[in-house]
Amino acid sequence: MTEPVWVHLSTLPHFEGLSLPQYQTAGSAGFDLAAAIPESWLIEPMQRLLVPTGLKMAIPLGYEGQVRPRSGLAIKHGITLINTPGTIDSDYRGEICVPLINLGTEPMTLIRGMRIAQMVIAPVKQVAFKCVLELQPSDRGEGGFGHTGLC
């Protein structure tokens, strides 16, 4: 196993009594984020909610936090993220909040401590741009969405 990337974490008052993020299995890529809400919230079909987690993080320079849907909530209830993956930059120090949307046909109740999303800490590189007159050709060329077919 490689050395962990250390992420400093602080909790807000509305996080009190909840568990710190954790990986659910030894092979998990992401750790779960939980709803730090005072009471149950109902999310209606097509409704959007910004759900607080009660957590603040200092992600190291050269890394980002990718907030992603939980597959079980997505397939069973239609609960996903408005923008996915959502990026938490290394210099952001505010509360991590999760922008959920209910794409299902039924309302769903979110409860305090419910695992609502997952976060993956991933390395990123910043790039420099150079303007050129023409790009080098590739096998794909300018083929856009769906150009390779369905199967």
Side-chain angles (χ1 to χ4, degrees):
M1 182 172 182
T2 61
E3 285 293 314
V5 173
W6 289 98
V7 174
H8 293 174
L9 180 76
S10 68
T11 63
L12 297 166
H14 54 281
F15 182 83
E16 186 175 340
L18 297 178
S19 298
L20 290 175
Q22 60 184 348
Y23 294 93
Q24 294 299 308
T25 68
S28 293
F31 53 85
D32 291 327
L33 297 172
I37 53 179
E39 69 267 339
S40 298
W41 287 6
L42 189 67
I43 182 168
E44 298 281 351
M46 298 311 295
Q47 182 181 10
R48 299 179 306 259
L49 288 176
L50 188 59
V51 183
T53 66
L55 299 171
K56 296 165 95 176
M57 296 180 188
I59 297 169
L61 185 64
Y63 291 86
E64 68 166 324
Q66 298 176 357
V67 182
R68 302 175 179 184
R70 292 195 63 230
S71 58
L73 285 178
I75 195 66
K76 293 176 185 173
H77 304 284
I79 305 296
T80 190
L81 275 66
I82 297 166
N83 62 321
T84 183
T87 294
I88 308 299
D89 295 311
S90 64
D91 57 354
Y92 177 69
R93 294 296 183 268
E95 181 176 12
I96 307 296
C97 292
V98 179
L100 293 181
I101 187 168
N102 182 350
L103 298 178
T105 58
E106 301 292 327
M108 182 172 175
T109 301
L110 304 177
I111 60 172
R112 180 172 174 77
M114 175 184 272
R115 294 176 292 142
I116 55 169
Q118 60 183 319
M119 183 184 282
V120 172
I121 303 296
V124 294
K125 294 276 188 185
Q126 288 189 339
V127 300
F129 294 96
K130 180 179 181 180
C131 284
V132 296
L133 293 176
E134 285 189 37
L135 299 178
Q136 290 186 358
S138 72
D139 290 341
R140 179 176 180 171
E142 295 185 16
F145 295 101
H147 81 283
T148 60
L150 294 177
C151 296

